[in-house]
Amino acid sequence: MSRAVPPRPGAAASKARLAEILRVDQAGELAAVHIYRGQAAVMRAAPGRERIADQLREMEGHEQVHLTRFNELLTERGVRPTLMSPIWRAAAFALGAGTALLGDKAAHACTEAVETVIEKHYAGQIEELKDRDPALAAELSQFRDDELAHRDLAVEEGAHEATAYPLLTAVIQAGCRAAIKISEKI
């Protein structure tokens, strides 16, 4: 379970923590866009998978809205994006394409795994920011609702039926948690 990070003392520390939050969230949305692009590329090429490709493109659109907003916030608040962006972009596309190549259920399991981690991550940030930056907390709440809808759709579409579901989701979630920690700092 994610717990909120207590605010550090002093204005500079609060600004540094906000920079971490924005940097990691921008990186996460960048990765989400590329996961869905990878999945959609595979599904578009597979006969009979147009419905799933359309779902993936729609979810990618939601993530692109989030990414655009975080790009604006980084600029407005003078925060640099993570230096890991090129790596995350490539890794995310590969994760999306790779899980889609394993089949519909594995692609959905990937979505569920990622969105579960992100939902908890956002929940901790919302709790941390609700008094310090209520406007940002409200935006994160809206984004979190989109992530929950993606997760729920993935479950409805059979994520739990994927081959090696427990292992697949555990590995993806561990990777997401590691990427979060790295992106906060680098």
Side-chain angles (χ1 to χ4, degrees), residues 31 33-39 41-42 88-98:
V33 164
H34 285 83
I35 289 170
Y36 287 127
R37 283 184 185 165
Q39 290 176 333
V42 170
W88 294 160
R89 190 178 294 115
F93 188 90
L95 175 62

Side-chain angles (χ1 to χ4, degrees), residues 11-25:
S14 292
K15 185 176 179 181
R17 176 62 186 142
L18 182 59
E20 288 176 356
I21 289 170
L22 295 176
R23 182 173 21 264
V24 73
D25 289 355

Side-chain angles (χ1 to χ4, degrees), residues 34-88:
H34 285 83
I35 289 170
Y36 287 127
R37 283 184 185 165
Q39 290 176 333
V42 170
M43 292 300 170
R44 276 193 304 272
R49 301 290 201 285
E50 295 83 14
R51 181 184 67 80
I52 294 169
D54 289 345
Q55 286 176 339
L56 295 166
R57 280 193 295 267
E58 182 178 341
M59 291 188 288
E60 177 193 335
H62 300 154
E63 303 297 356
Q64 185 61 56
V65 168
H66 303 172
L67 176 59
T68 298
R69 180 60 183 137
F70 280 116
N71 287 338
E72 292 168 355
L73 287 166
L74 290 180
T75 300
E76 289 169 11
R77 299 186 187 208
V79 175
R80 66 162 177 77
T82 180
L83 297 174
M84 301 298 291
S85 291
I87 294 168
W88 294 160

Side-chain angles (χ1 to χ4, degrees), residues 1-183:
M1 172 143 182
S2 179
R3 67 185 200 329
V5 175
R8 298 174 185 156
S14 292
K15 185 176 179 181
R17 176 62 186 142
L18 182 59
E20 288 176 356
I21 289 170
L22 295 176
R23 182 173 21 264
V24 73
D25 289 355
Q26 188 270 353
E29 298 299 346
L30 176 73
V33 164
H34 285 83
I35 289 170
Y36 287 127
R37 283 184 185 165
Q39 290 176 333
V42 170
M43 292 300 170
R44 276 193 304 272
R49 301 290 201 285
E50 295 83 14
R51 181 184 67 80
I52 294 169
D54 289 345
Q55 286 176 339
L56 295 166
R57 280 193 295 267
E58 182 178 341
M59 291 188 288
E60 177 193 335
H62 300 154
E63 303 297 356
Q64 185 61 56
V65 168
H66 303 172
L67 176 59
T68 298
R69 180 60 183 137
F70 280 116
N71 287 338
E72 292 168 355
L73 287 166
L74 290 180
T75 300
E76 289 169 11
R77 299 186 187 208
V79 175
R80 66 162 177 77
T82 180
L83 297 174
M84 301 298 291
S85 291
I87 294 168
W88 294 160
R89 190 178 294 115
F93 188 90
L95 175 62
T99 56
L101 285 168
L102 294 173
D104 302 0
K105 306 300 185 201
H108 291 307
C110 175
T111 296
E112 182 201 9
V114 170
E115 300 297 18
T116 297
V117 171
I118 299 310
E119 183 276 325
K120 290 176 183 173
H121 178 73
Y122 273 153
Q125 289 180 339
I126 292 162
E127 183 64 27
E128 180 181 350
L129 293 171
K130 68 181 180 186
D131 296 325
R132 287 187 5 218
D133 194 334
L136 181 57
E139 282 189 274
L140 295 180
S141 291
Q142 291 173 344
F143 296 165
R144 180 177 171 235
D145 290 346
D146 288 342
E147 310 305 349
L148 288 169
H150 298 167
R151 184 200 64 196
D152 293 348
L153 177 63
V155 171
E156 289 171 20
E157 291 288 335
H160 295 175
E161 298 166 26
T163 302
Y165 169 80
L167 177 62
L168 181 64
T169 57
V171 169
I172 292 169
Q173 288 180 345
C176 288
R177 287 189 293 273
I180 287 168
K181 292 298 181 194
I182 292 167
S183 295

